[in-house]
Amino acid sequence: MPDVILRKTVSAVDEIYHEGGPDAETPHKRGSVLAIIRNPFAHRYEPDIQGFIDDLRPLGLQMAQKLVDLLGGPDKIEGYGKGALIGEGGELEHGALWHAPGGYAMRELLPVCNAIVPSTKKVGGVGARLDVPITHINAAYVRSHFDSMEVGCNDAPRADEMALALVMTTGPRIHSRSGGLEAADIIGKDGLR
């Protein structure tokens, strides 16, 4: 399989003190790392692309470690998500190659995480934005942690690139009060509840 050719990374951390309600004692943090890489399958149909999944694993681990560090360590992480923006010379299926390397990288670095890592992907032009879904790391039904973070880069993805994203959060939405399963009530057996 082709080498992973990294052009640049873009990192962001949101510190949210309030959304119109009272200030939080500790701000809620949302963080993202976006890696802009060359798409080795751009401008052609390639029937066998699965081998690139293994090539992406080291990049996934590097990104996940950077994100965990930005947010204060693995014990601070309560939510996660992943996504891929594919340049217009590629196809949506190229984004699917990020599912395992991105998701398993985060799961490898976190002490306990039973829930599947939510994901999104799309094909877009330079400057495209992607809303990456976020759920609780141990139970996908914890409504307080349903969230998203917009990621993107002003000069990416170029037609022959893909922008791969990892997102993590340090807790529930800042003024969560929509009911449902609470984090303190997680049973933790199936990744759902």
Side-chain angles (χ1 to χ4, degrees):
M1 287 272 72
D3 292 331
V4 175
I5 299 173
L6 177 67
R7 179 162 69 91
K8 69 176 176 177
T9 61
V10 179
S11 303
V13 176
D14 295 347
E15 292 183 297
I16 305 160
Y17 290 87
H18 70 84
E19 294 282 350
D23 280 355
E25 289 181 29
T26 304
H28 169 69
K29 292 183 181 179
R30 272 191 221 121
S32 66
V33 174
L34 188 66
I36 314 303
I37 68 169
R38 187 176 69 81
N39 182 350
F41 311 113
H43 305 294
R44 71 180 198 284
Y45 177 80
E46 177 63 49
D48 184 12
I49 60 176
Q50 287 185 22
F52 199 53
I53 291 171
D54 289 334
D55 298 328
L56 289 172
R57 290 183 197 282
L59 177 63
L61 281 169
Q62 291 168 6
M63 291 169 64
Q65 186 63 62
K66 184 173 187 173
L67 190 49
V68 165
D69 293 344
L70 283 170
L71 294 175
D75 59 318
K76 303 285 188 209
I77 307 304
E78 292 188 23
Y80 54 21
K82 63 186 183 297
L85 271 167
I86 306 304
E88 59 194 39
E91 60 178 284
L92 193 61
E93 191 64 13
H94 300 160
L97 297 173
W98 186 234
H99 285 300
Y104 284 114
M106 290 189 289
R107 294 173 67 125
E108 185 173 321
L109 297 180
L110 301 176
V112 178
C113 47
N114 296 316
I116 191 168
V117 181
S119 182
T120 189
K121 58 193 159 300
K122 74 177 186 181
V123 174
V126 170
R129 308 294 290 182
L130 186 69
D131 288 326
V132 178
I134 300 164
T135 58
H136 194 281
I137 62 172
N138 283 314
Y141 288 3
V142 176
R143 199 177 299 164
S144 60
H145 287 62
F146 292 175
D147 204 347
S148 66
M149 185 172 185
E150 185 183 59
V151 299
C153 180
N154 66 319
D155 68 347
R158 295 173 182 168
D160 64 346
E161 291 180 330
M162 47 176 84
L164 306 173
L166 297 181
V167 173
M168 295 181 190
T169 65
T170 61
R173 294 180 314 279
I174 200 72
H175 298 307
S176 172
R177 55 195 187 280
S178 61
L181 179 64
E182 296 292 336
D185 299 324
I186 293 172
I187 297 167
K189 292 184 180 177
D190 61 4
L192 299 175
R193 297 182 178 86

